[in-house]
Amino acid sequence: MKPKLRIFDDLENISKHAANIFSKQAARSIVERGQFLVALNGGGTPTRLFQLLAADFHDKVEWAKVHVFWGDERCVPPDDSGSSYGQARELLLSHVSVPESNIHRIKGELPPVEAAKEYALLLKEFASPPPDWLRFDLIYLGMGEDGHTASLFPGSPVHVMEAVLPVTAHYQDRPANRVTLTQLVFNSAHMVIFMAAGEKKASTLAEVLSDRYNPELYPAQRIDPKDGDLIWLVDKDAAGKLPKKITRKYCEG
Ligand code: 6PG
């Protein structure tokens, strides 16, 4: 599926757009399927999105029908500052009326292998097989400066059979043990939104969106929903090294 690229002035505008997509996609999914299955990401990029959803959309989304999951998690307890679940709870989930039973976190306090197994079982509960995992209505992803996404890091296997994997990866000062969904799950989603901001990501973004396909080195290239939308929301700094032919090819309007 050809990605769509939207370039914004800054992260604030990316986040506003991403929040509007959340609201629209939630409404559509609830009408069509009776619920909205969304996977959140961690890291710095989505924090403003979470705040905006809490402030401006707490009464505009049918939160009782929203089920929240994560694309990956760091293996730390939920109240640790490194926990992606903890971050989303603080900034978003504690401010909206999503039922506690609809919050499906990855148990970061467990050893990674165990946490991955439990999460895979949870995904199966929401799946109507085949396949063995649920089809998300919306997934948010970020991209590291090295091209990783979720916890799919450069050099990790490209051909996987599992929906969920335990991972050990050293990236910046973040916890090394993690659990991640794989591209099998990401690529079966109805919609995947990537958000990337800042000039430190510009060279990598230019590689990821180029015609040079190297998914081993740039895991973000593994994301290619078979029957869904793939939308990149980036700021002008992150887009700074994109050749014109790429922006012409992927930018809408
Ligand atoms: C995590 C994410 C990871 C993140 C990227 C970008 O760390 O929890 O799973 O994939 O999205 O590392 O992080 P920033 O948004 O902080 O640049």
Side-chain angles (χ1 to χ4, degrees):
M1 167 81 51
K2 186 176 151 199
K4 293 171 185 152
L5 174 65
R6 299 178 189 159
I7 302 174
F8 298 86
D9 277 345
D10 50 27
L11 184 58
E12 180 67 17
N13 284 296
I14 291 178
S15 307
K16 281 184 186 159
H17 193 78
N20 278 314
I21 290 178
F22 185 106
S23 161
K24 281 194 193 137
Q25 193 68 358
R28 182 181 308 150
S29 307
I30 290 167
V31 167
E32 287 175 8
R33 292 178 286 281
Q35 59 183 359
F36 177 51
L37 307 176
V38 61
L40 305 178
N41 55 337
T45 309
T47 55
R48 187 63 188 138
L49 163 67
F50 296 160
Q51 288 168 339
L52 287 172
L53 285 171
D56 301 340
F57 291 87
H58 61 92
D59 56 356
K60 294 195 181 83
V61 168
E62 227 180 316
W63 290 100
K65 294 185 177 162
V66 176
H67 285 263
V68 183
F69 299 79
W70 278 263
D72 72 326
E73 181 59 279
R74 299 93 177 265
C75 288
V76 292
D79 56 355
D80 187 283
S81 62
S83 164
S84 298
Y85 157 80
Q87 170 172 275
R89 168 161 290 279
E90 186 191 330
L91 299 177
L92 170 60
L93 303 175
S94 59
H95 304 281
V96 294
S97 49
V98 58
E100 215 39 56
S101 55
N102 289 9
I103 299 176
H104 310 285
R105 71 181 180 89
I106 300 173
K107 293 204 181 136
E109 66 275 30
L110 296 177
V113 173
E114 221 173 292
K117 265 192 202 150
E118 266 204 27
Y119 202 51
L121 287 176
L122 181 74
L123 295 194
K124 273 192 187 180
E125 281 173 32
F126 279 82
S128 36
D132 268 356
W133 49 84
L134 73 170
R135 184 167 187 211
F136 280 104
D137 296 303
L138 177 61
I139 295 175
Y140 289 100
L141 290 175
M143 182 189 72
E145 289 161 36
D146 59 354
H148 82 260
T149 188
S151 291
L152 302 170
F153 283 87
S156 60
V158 171
H159 301 287
V160 290
M161 303 296 286
E162 296 88 356
V164 190
L165 284 176
V167 169
T168 300
H170 293 274
Y171 180 72
Q172 297 178 341
D173 55 355
R174 299 176 187 182
N177 288 329
R178 292 158 170 248
V179 170
T180 192
L181 299 185
T182 67
Q183 57 268 37
L184 297 180
V185 183
F186 296 136
N187 291 343
S188 67
H190 288 278
M191 182 182 283
V192 176
I193 301 287
F194 265 106
M195 292 188 285
E199 64 180 332
K200 285 185 175 165
K201 295 185 179 172
S203 307
T204 306
L205 185 67
E207 276 306 317
V208 168
L209 291 182
S210 76
D211 296 336
R212 294 178 292 278
Y213 184 62
N214 190 347
E216 188 162 318
L217 192 59
Y218 297 106
Q221 285 189 328
R222 298 175 199 173
I223 309 307
D224 181 19
K226 292 293 158 285
D227 189 18
D229 293 314
L230 175 60
I231 307 175
W232 279 87
L233 310 180
V234 307
D235 73 352
K236 53 183 184 337
D237 294 335
K241 293 193 176 164
L242 291 177
K244 280 220 171 55
K245 66 167 190 178
I246 294 295
T247 47
R248 267 200 302 267
K249 187 169 167 192
Y250 297 134
C251 264
E252 312 158 300

